[in-house]
Amino acid sequence: MPDIRLQNVSKAFGGATVLDNIDIDVGDKEFVTLLGPSGCGKTTTLMAIAGFQHPDSGRIICGDRTFFDGGGRRTLPAEQRNLGIVFQSYAIWPHMTVAANIGFPLKLRRTKKPDVDRRVGEMLDLVELADLGAHYPHQLSGGQQQRVALARALVGSPSVLLLDEPFSNLDAKLRERSRKWLRALQQEIGMTTIFVTHDQDEALGMSDRVMVMNRGAIEQSGTPEDIYRRPANRAVAEFVGRCNVLDGRIVGPARCGSVLVEISETSLVVRAQCPPETADAGDVVIALRPELIQLSLGEASHANQCLADLRSSAFLGDHYEYELSLGGVLAQVQHSLPIPGETALVTVPDLAAIIVKP
Amino acid sequence: MVTLSATVPSAVRRRALLPTSVTQGVVWALTVVLVLGPLVPLVYTSFRSQAFYLPGGTWSLQPYRSLFDDPAFWQAVENTLIFAAITTVLAVGLGALFAILINRTNMPGGSWLRWLLIAPIVIPPLGLIVGWTSIYGTAGYLTQFVHRNLGLPAWNLSSLLGMAVLGCVVTIPITFLTCQVALQGSDSALENAALSSGASPATVLRRITAPLLRPAILNSSILVFALALETLGIPLFIGTPANINLYASYLYNGWSNSATPDPPFVSAGAILLLVVVTILLIVRTKLLGSEDRFIVTSSRGSSEAAPLNIGRWRYFWSAVTAGFVLLGSIIPLFGLSIMSSVKELTILVAPWHLWTSSNWHDILNNPSFRNAIVNSLIIATIGSVLTVTFVAFATLVAHRSRFGLRRTLPALLVYPRAIPGIILGVGFFWSYLLVNVPGAFLRNSIWGELLALSIRNITIAYVVLYPALAKVSTEFDQAAMASGAGWWTIGRRITLPIVRPALLTAVALMFITLLSDYDPLVFLQKPGTEVMGVTMLQAWEKGEPGQVAAMAVLQLVIVGLVIVGATRLIRRARRA
């Protein structure tokens, strides 16, 4: 299965720039997720790959085939790109049975009827809907419809699978199950996949690589762990998961990829991870995940501890969410036990915080 | 490891017979030629001193001059304006009132009245007109009853006011439907907000609901006014005996009753009316913004509102609405059916003493009537299927393609209904004369009539198909495209099958319309190519109202059967 590359792709609607010179490189068999808030350009990117949107400039190449070349003004029509797409609405044709839906791409390729039947049977087995071939779409549940859409996308042996928020119409439980199932299937058949979502749990839980998009640009590309643990900038830190983004000042020299940072308007001095290109001194911005901050009772005895006032708390089942005031700034903290009283001792473990670009 | 079998189907695509853009271009060009083509000879002739088939014609404004010099022309213009104004005021006022009562209040019987009010859409227009004369005409049953038996002053149907009342009954479905769509589309939270701030239901209706209808009222006013300007049947059947001409009947008489028909003269008159109607429709489009705004109806789930309680008044208004339907449609159709089976419908003798089957005998045995029935059925059957097929693909080009000139298509598809039928008929007649191949064939067979009638009514197919198509998510197309299907395949295999119920509705409506429409054919019909509408007109002029009534009843029966059959088919299509 080929890789897919987008080079300098730009697109504007009216005066508004939707895609701003983006570069994307998806390797063979890789599962890449485009993650971002609505309006960030992720769906436009997917539709440009699919051929339903035409970029203003740039190139889109899949293996040795050029899908789009802004310089040469060449566009391969969508119907010749041989991609598999699962739409947000699934777009299962309501007037055809499940089997007819899945078999349609094959019929277009003039496959002989026995071959179509056999292959549709295989696909139905693959998506665990073997008994439902003769059903009509409206007789299926949301999860089943989604799998029909997937089977239809895969039946023609596409070079790349494109998924446009395929879980957004499912309820929470089903969504989780479908997610695991789809990821397992993708790994089994080794299909190059591009997945679009605004749901970070989906993005982090399924992908080989996540690309965070914002305002038509790619903010960061990396493994789910990279994205979560080492966000490149404030936008990524704030969009992926919950995060305290705080101002600070470097107060000691870098050592082993970390540096001492004093958090502004508090007495806290924490050892924060620092990316290689960080300067040796001056003001910085740090990101600190709420679940990495420890709460306890007692007195501050280290520089990375301070007493904090409890401002609000919310019980969310497996944990509490607290808002604490650390001197002049507010911080979100996640803790699994209730805190008695009005104050708590905050401890920021070494390397819990990371310096990000503002 | 799941095996995605080794026998992966080769990615050989079906080769399209023609490139997509060529197919789309052909559909577009056909639409342009068929819609605008017939107008060319009309415009040309109106600026010539002689009919083009006579030698020695020159460019001239003489046709317009002689038109303006004719006092009868100005009389017709004045009559038409008065008729159109009264019709519009009545139809819009009552249509909006009924729409509000039925859709927003707890008036009893609303669900029945809703259908009865729009029934005139499918009632053959001549049937309704003949029914009205049989009941309300000078010698009509109720007129005589009131005048002779009760000794009260009776109304005069053969007056501008009388004709306008009938015009209102015929056009009220348009205003009612337009207002109903607007009401269903508007958020009832607006009304609920007024209720909870202390307004009485009557105040809400007056201060909130009615003002919200303003765009719909403006829209349907212009539409009804334009339709009233070109009304032909009402003045021909009802106005002529009292010597009242409207514009269309003036043109018709100028052609068919004068010893030497003067084509340039009639063309000039036709062009003038066409210009006025076109300007009206352009104004309407400008006022309303894009056509889409009112064609597409989105039903919002949350707008299901509790009806406003209008108290005891609800019985009064229910009676008013029912009375309108009863007097406007039901009693005249009842009169029509009696008239088809009696020697004469009169107050002096009970109908059962005058019972006769001779009208039915006549229309079923007289060869020209029989011809008319058979021809009309052929035209309606073949024409409806062909037209809907053609319009379906034109609509796909207009709204589901990247074809360069697609944006011109919606206007082209809506325009023919705006062209007065009689004018379009003249245009087709001369086009067939000018372009001898295939004009000569078309001129001398029912196929020419089929073409003219179908083009005149493509608008009906379009306004049914477009909203249905607009509701079909484009993701269905994209999914097919990603599967490797081209435009033509997507249309044939995906989009059109999904809107199958709308296609069936369009075919049924087209069939009904083609069966009873006749305006464009009054100049096209020849011996051998008779159709029902024109034959009825001629029988009326000969003074055979019984035969006309029998034909009209036959039309009604066929229409009824088609509606029953179509409803079943559509229901089955929906279930599938």
Side-chain angles (χ1 to χ4, degrees), chain A residues 52 78-80 83 87 89 91-96 105-110 118-119 122 126 152 157 188, chain B residues 1-2 5 7-10 12-14 402 475-476 478-486 489 493-494 497-498:
Chain A
F52 304 130
E79 62 265 31
Q80 294 174 23
L83 303 169
F87 291 90
S89 66
I92 307 173
W93 303 307
H95 62 297
M96 294 184 187
L106 299 179
K107 287 204 179 129
L108 292 173
R109 291 167 170 77
R110 293 202 161 154
R118 187 176 46 77
R119 180 123 176 111
E122 280 176 20
L126 182 69
R152 186 181 63 188
S157 306
E188 271 180 336
Chain B
M1 174 88 189
V2 176
S5 63
T7 56
V8 165
S10 59
V12 179
R13 285 184 357 97
R14 222 178 252 231
R402 291 176 178 275
E475 286 196 347
F476 287 127
Q478 294 178 341
M481 218 187 279
S483 306
T489 312
R493 303 282 299 274
I494 305 292
I498 289 177

Side-chain angles (χ1 to χ4, degrees), chain B residues 434-467:
Chain B
L434 272 172
V435 190
N436 210 33
V437 179
F441 165 72
L442 291 170
R443 205 167 65 229
N444 293 310
S445 65
I446 60 168
W447 308 115
E449 295 174 316
L450 184 147
L451 185 64
L453 265 188
S454 298
I455 292 303
R456 150 111 163 135
N457 291 301
I458 56 175
T459 312
I460 293 177
Y462 176 71
V463 297
V464 172
L465 288 183
Y466 170 46

Side-chain angles (χ1 to χ4, degrees), chain A residues 34-308:
Chain A
L34 301 180
L35 173 69
S38 54
C40 70
K42 56 190 191 301
T43 298
T44 310
T45 308
L46 199 74
M47 291 298 141
I49 297 171
F52 304 130
Q53 296 269 6
H54 300 301
D56 301 330
S57 60
R59 282 173 17 115
I60 303 176
I61 299 155
C62 179
D64 54 358
R65 298 202 300 157
T66 302
F67 281 179
F68 175 83
D69 188 343
R73 294 266 117 229
R74 267 196 306 143
T75 306
L76 192 66
E79 62 265 31
Q80 294 174 23
R81 296 192 180 192
N82 193 31
L83 303 169
I85 305 180
V86 177
F87 291 90
Q88 189 170 358
S89 66
Y90 311 139
I92 307 173
W93 303 307
H95 62 297
M96 294 184 187
T97 62
V98 167
N101 261 283
I102 299 175
F104 187 73
L106 299 179
K107 287 204 179 129
L108 292 173
R109 291 167 170 77
R110 293 202 161 154
T111 313
K112 290 199 181 72
K113 182 146 186 350
D115 292 339
V116 173
D117 292 346
R118 187 176 46 77
R119 180 123 176 111
V120 168
E122 280 176 20
M123 292 315 298
L124 284 170
D125 284 339
L126 182 69
V127 298
E128 299 162 22
L129 293 175
D131 301 335
L132 300 181
H135 283 51
Y136 277 92
H138 68 267
Q139 296 167 309
L140 305 183
S141 71
Q144 289 169 333
Q145 288 189 14
Q146 186 210 41
R147 283 185 274 161
V148 173
L150 187 69
R152 186 181 63 188
L154 290 174
V155 73
S157 306
S159 45
V160 176
L161 179 63
L162 306 178
L163 307 170
D164 183 10
E165 310 222 7
F167 304 115
S168 58
N169 287 331
L170 304 179
D171 63 53
K173 280 251 161 65
L174 191 57
R175 189 181 298 194
E176 209 175 305
R177 197 139 42 91
S178 301
R179 203 192 292 162
K180 283 182 188 145
W181 177 82
L182 180 64
R183 174 58 169 160
L185 185 75
Q186 188 266 339
Q187 283 173 329
E188 271 180 336
I189 60 179
M191 173 74 66
T192 310
T193 302
I194 302 179
F195 175 64
V196 158
T197 185
H198 63 266
D199 183 314
Q200 39 165 323
D201 291 345
E202 286 172 9
L204 298 176
M206 297 179 72
S207 322
D208 293 320
R209 195 148 55 89
V210 177
M211 299 180 119
V212 182
M213 290 188 72
N214 192 25
R215 289 190 221 152
I218 292 171
E219 301 274 1
Q220 187 177 3
S221 165
T223 63
E225 206 174 338
D226 270 342
I227 298 288
Y228 192 80
R229 298 236 174 262
R230 288 175 286 282
N233 58 35
R234 187 184 199 122
V236 175
E238 283 179 338
F239 184 73
V240 182
R242 296 159 52 78
C243 198
N244 297 297
V245 179
L246 306 167
D247 293 327
R249 189 169 57 85
I250 295 179
V251 292
R255 185 155 50 85
C256 299
S258 72
V259 72
L260 281 175
V261 175
E262 185 187 67
I263 300 176
S264 307
E265 299 178 59
T266 69
S267 57
L268 283 171
V269 177
V270 302
R271 181 157 289 281
Q273 306 175 56
C274 60
E277 66 274 21
T278 314
D280 284 344
D283 293 338
V284 290
V285 176
I286 62 162
L288 182 54
R289 297 284 176 195
E291 70 273 16
L292 296 180
I293 300 175
Q294 296 170 358
L295 294 184
S296 56
L297 302 174
E299 296 297 322
S301 56
H302 290 89
N304 66 339
Q305 294 181 321
C306 75
L307 279 175

